[in-house]
Amino acid sequence: MAELIFYYGPMGCSKTANALMARHNALKNNQHVWLIKPAIDTRDNKMLANGIVKSIVRSRVGIEAEAQSIGVNEHIAPPHPTHLIICDEAQFLQPWQVDELNRYAKDFDIPVMCYGLRTDFKTNCFP
């Protein structure tokens, strides 16, 4: 049975780089990977000439990949087939969205890897 695993650490500790390396390794094994991030994280998005915004996950070391943004009220619905779900900046997800990710791991046997911060700057845990 698959699990939801939360990788956390302080800013600058290569969480995003590790997420992108996990994606790369899964893709090399011909797995379908769904890379997502909360829509509130817009810092690396790219505006195309036609006005469409591409959601990007980028590491400080320069590696990047296109991701799907998940809105604050949006349900988690991975495309079919999906062999692995990777979420960057997971601290910005709603608690019920984390529950949905956990359901995909438990009920549909899709491993979920979430990367993010555990606490804010005041050491208060994110929900």
Side-chain angles (χ1 to χ4, degrees):
M1 180 163 53
E3 295 180 314
L4 182 149
I5 301 172
F6 179 47
Y7 297 96
Y8 62 89
M11 290 178 64
C13 75
S14 301
K15 294 179 301 292
T16 298
N18 282 297
L20 292 170
M21 287 187 289
R23 175 187 172 272
H24 173 79
N25 290 333
L27 290 173
K28 280 183 64 174
N29 290 321
N30 296 317
Q31 293 183 330
H32 292 92
V33 180
W34 191 40
L35 180 62
I36 62 174
K37 71 175 190 172
I40 194 170
D41 177 17
T42 61
R43 70 181 179 271
D44 293 317
N45 291 353
K46 292 182 182 176
M47 176 75 77
L48 302 179
N50 59 5
I52 295 175
V53 176
K54 281 177 101 175
S55 183
I56 303 294
V57 170
R58 178 179 298 138
S59 169
R60 285 182 168 88
V61 297
I63 55 177
E64 66 180 46
E66 189 171 347
Q68 182 175 343
S69 289
I70 304 297
V72 68
N73 295 318
E74 192 174 339
H75 287 279
I76 307 291
H80 183 74
T82 297
H83 298 112
L84 174 63
I85 300 171
I86 298 175
C87 178
D88 193 39
E89 301 296 346
Q91 72 272 10
F92 296 127
L93 292 174
Q94 297 299 313
W96 60 268
Q97 290 172 316
V98 175
D99 290 341
E100 286 184 339
L101 286 171
N102 191 48
R103 185 174 56 87
Y104 282 105
K106 299 298 181 198
D107 296 348
F108 299 98
D109 202 32
I110 301 172
V112 178
M113 302 169 76
C114 294
Y115 295 80
L117 299 172
R118 188 173 61 153
T119 62
D120 65 14
F121 70 99
K122 294 180 180 178
T123 68
N124 297 314
C125 288
F126 286 99

